[in-house]
Amino acid sequence: MRTLYVEGRSVLHRMPPRAKLLGLAVASIVLFATRSIPLLGMFCVASAAVYLLLRLAPREAFERLRPVLLTIVVVGLFTLLFDSAIEAAVFVLRLTSLMLLAAAVTATTGISAFMDEITRLAMPLERIGLVRAADIGLAVGLVIRFVPEVLARTQAIRDAHHARGLKPRMLTLAVPMIILTLRSADEIAAAIDARGLRGQN
Amino acid sequence: MLTRDLVLAALFTAIIVVLGLLPPITLGFIPVPITAQSLGVMTAGVVLGAKRGTIAVLLVLLLAAIGLPVLSGGRGGLGVFAAPTTGYLIGWVAAAFVTGLASEKLVRAQQSGLIQGIGFFVASLLGGVVVLYAFGVTYLALVTGLGFSKAFLGSVAFIPGDVLKAVVAALVGRAVMVGYPLLPQRA
């Protein structure tokens, strides 16, 4: 799986992930606290500047934002039609700023840095016995490891359909894919426990 | 939590990610394309039950948040949580939980196939449509300032697709119950 992280040496790259996440949280609170359009406009321009300072290739930079930008525009037009222009402008400026800042954090924070931070944040939850912090990293690793396998299995089931002259349907595709995948759970769990990856059970 | 339950949840997360890679289907009588990914959310509850299903969905959102393009259409990163439709993403967690809980309560191994299928359908409808839209519409109404009725009006076109997904989720749940039952042995 290709991640959305981009290598680089910008200020944002060098900032610790916690500072970036905190900054994002503060920005979202500020954005939703104000309704002044000039202020929100300035915020939006500043966010765009932060994003552009990452110096992504223009096409790549736009492609990353496209899906979210599209929903913002569609809902913005809906608001414009059924509510007022002011509501629509406030909404579009708010979410566009937030999207730009979030995209900048994503592009400058690697997966391992994120996981370290999440594991550390989960420590208090571990103390109250809700979750084992190390399990989060293990589970994320498992998913990344098994996505290509599940994909290959789906492709094989699709090929089996074609070989029999059947049209692949959601149901006939999903059921064998789910059963075959979940069946491997016992073996994987045994392998994890045999290696003592989760400590004493 | 047993290692097996953790592995089952992680494997189901992989299944939800792969369902997001399948091309969206357009049906003649529904105006919006249907993606298989939200089908995966209902199925997680139906197949794994409340606890493991919720963990599987939480893992999808975690992977998306740390910058992996795991959501349908290759979306990912923190930016997806800044969309007006973010309420639906957050609602996935509650949807999987409610679907799982209702499945655990409604479906028993000794029931006939038809009763099990209906139980799974009601569970999927409750979690994957009622609860999901409650989250999605509330978020949309608050973030746009549109108010509930208009926000609901803007979302109503998607409901037929999701009801159809609940039917498919029920059929999948029943088939997996026959082929490899996991729901009775709860986490």
Side-chain angles (χ1 to χ4, degrees):
Chain A
M1 245 190 295
R2 201 177 54 88
T3 83
L4 295 167
Y5 171 68
V6 183
E7 302 239 353
R9 300 182 47 77
S10 71
V11 187
L12 270 177
H13 278 89
R14 279 175 279 145
M15 263 166 81
R18 181 171 298 188
K20 283 184 271 191
L21 290 174
L22 259 170
L24 198 57
V26 170
S28 64
I29 292 169
V30 171
L31 279 168
F32 280 89
T34 176
R35 285 185 54 85
S36 135
I37 289 182
L39 206 66
L40 285 171
M42 265 152 54
F43 212 107
C44 195
V45 171
S47 309
V50 169
Y51 187 66
L52 288 176
L53 278 178
L54 300 176
R55 295 179 178 283
L56 299 171
R59 219 197 134 117
E60 159 84 12
F62 178 70
E63 277 300 312
R64 280 164 176 262
L65 301 178
R66 203 175 50 125
V68 176
L69 201 57
L70 202 69
T71 57
I72 294 178
V73 169
V74 169
V75 177
L77 286 175
F78 187 83
T79 313
L80 186 65
L81 277 175
F82 290 94
D83 210 331
S84 63
I86 296 168
E87 270 318 321
V90 167
F91 156 77
V92 169
L93 288 173
R94 261 182 194 162
L95 283 201
T96 309
S97 315
L98 200 57
M99 170 195 72
L100 287 163
L101 290 178
V105 173
T106 295
T108 58
T109 314
I111 293 202
S112 53
F114 255 126
M115 282 316 300
D116 288 347
E117 196 54 47
I118 287 163
T119 310
R120 236 171 288 145
L121 287 174
M123 277 314 202
L125 296 178
E126 177 163 316
R127 251 169 253 134
I128 58 169
L130 205 65
V131 65
R132 276 199 248 176
D135 277 357
I136 302 174
L138 178 64
V140 167
L142 278 173
V143 180
I144 295 173
R145 158 76 179 74
F146 283 103
V147 164
E149 202 144 302
V150 177
L151 193 61
R153 201 168 277 145
T154 313
Q155 201 54 52
I157 297 167
R158 198 190 291 263
D159 290 345
H161 275 76
H162 287 307
R164 288 165 180 78
L166 300 170
K167 200 165 165 276
R169 291 182 191 285
M170 187 52 74
L171 201 60
T172 56
L173 214 58
V175 171
M177 185 251 246
I178 290 172
I179 293 180
L180 286 173
T181 302
L182 296 185
R183 264 199 186 147
S184 52
D186 287 314
E187 276 171 49
I188 300 164
I192 289 170
D193 285 338
R195 286 162 184 78
L197 287 179
R198 293 181 78 221
Q200 294 300 313
N201 272 308
Chain B
M1 190 187 208
L2 293 173
T3 308
R4 183 165 182 269
D5 293 323
L6 186 75
V7 171
L8 280 171
L11 285 176
F12 216 95
T13 307
I15 291 170
I16 297 175
V17 172
V18 169
L19 284 174
L21 296 172
L22 302 178
I25 318 158
T26 331
L27 293 171
F29 57 98
I30 296 168
V32 284
I34 296 178
T35 59
Q37 196 152 44
S38 52
L39 172 68
V41 174
M42 294 182 207
T43 319
V46 156
V47 171
L48 295 181
K51 190 176 174 191
R52 293 172 295 192
T54 309
I55 293 171
V57 173
L58 272 173
L59 273 172
V60 177
L61 297 187
L62 178 66
L63 286 169
I66 64 174
L68 288 163
V70 293
L71 301 177
S72 59
R75 289 171 303 137
L78 286 168
V80 296
F81 295 97
T85 49
T86 300
Y88 289 95
L89 277 187
I90 300 166
W92 274 7
V93 180
F97 179 78
V98 171
T99 306
L101 196 69
S103 301
E104 286 172 8
K105 295 267 179 280
L106 293 173
V107 180
R108 297 267 170 283
Q110 56 272 19
Q111 287 166 337
S112 74
L114 184 67
I115 303 285
Q116 281 183 354
I118 292 172
F120 281 135
F121 174 68
V122 172
S124 305
L125 209 58
L126 207 63
V129 180
V130 177
V131 172
L132 184 69
Y133 278 79
F135 274 81
V137 171
T138 308
Y139 189 92
L140 190 64
L142 291 179
V143 85
T144 54
L146 271 171
F148 278 92
S149 47
K150 283 179 197 158
F152 181 74
L153 218 66
S155 317
V156 87
F158 295 88
I159 290 180
D162 281 325
V163 172
L164 208 68
K165 276 182 228 173
V167 176
V168 178
L171 295 171
V172 170
R174 160 78 187 138
V176 176
M177 190 84 169
V178 172
Y180 188 61
L182 288 162
L183 191 66
Q185 4 159 331
R186 262 157 233 166

